[in-house]
Amino acid sequence: MHDDIDDPSLRNLFRAAADHGRRHAAPLPVAQVVERGRRSHRRRVTLALVTASAVAALGVVTAVGLVPADPGPTLPATSPSPPQPGSTTTPPGPRPTETEADRSFPPTTPGTTTLHS
């Protein structure tokens, strides 16, 4: 392979090709170079605008997605919570019964006295 690089006939062929290229090469007219530059600039500006528009649109979509929906009026907390409209289920377990002792205020326990004013 090294012999191919030093071959004078191969060198002569490359020199002949280079001379041929130089003879037929001609500079482009200035107007054509300017027009190519303008087209290239328009493409870059268009690409930048399309990219900026896509980023802005995605930002708006993301912002709209992050805004919480209106859940409606907030009900005050009570204990126990009232049943929701349309709910017909009852909590599991026995139903509490209210007795006369449960209705007295304040509640009394055996061995204590209450003061009434």
Side-chain angles (χ1 to χ4, degrees):
M1 260 183 127
H2 189 282
D3 293 332
D4 290 341
I5 297 174
D6 292 333
D7 185 13
S9 63
L10 189 58
R11 280 189 189 176
N12 288 336
L13 286 174
F14 278 112
R15 284 187 182 141
D19 290 339
H20 177 73
R22 282 189 205 108
R23 279 192 306 270
H24 293 300
L28 291 174
V30 174
Q32 190 175 359
V33 173
V34 169
E35 183 57 33
R36 281 185 184 177
R38 286 180 181 159
R39 275 195 308 251
S40 177
H41 179 71
R42 282 193 300 261
R43 285 186 198 121
R44 285 193 303 267
V45 168
T46 301
L47 180 63
L49 288 174
V50 167
T51 303
S53 298
V55 168
L58 287 174
V60 168
V61 167
T62 302
V64 168
L66 293 176
V67 173
D70 185 23
T74 305
L75 300 175
T78 59
S79 180
S81 297
Q84 296 295 324
S87 174
T88 58
T89 60
T90 57
R95 298 184 71 126
T97 57
E98 191 174 313
T99 62
E100 190 64 37
D102 292 334
R103 289 188 209 123
S104 67
F105 185 78
T108 58
T109 57
T112 61
T113 59
T114 58
L115 299 173
H116 295 287
S117 21

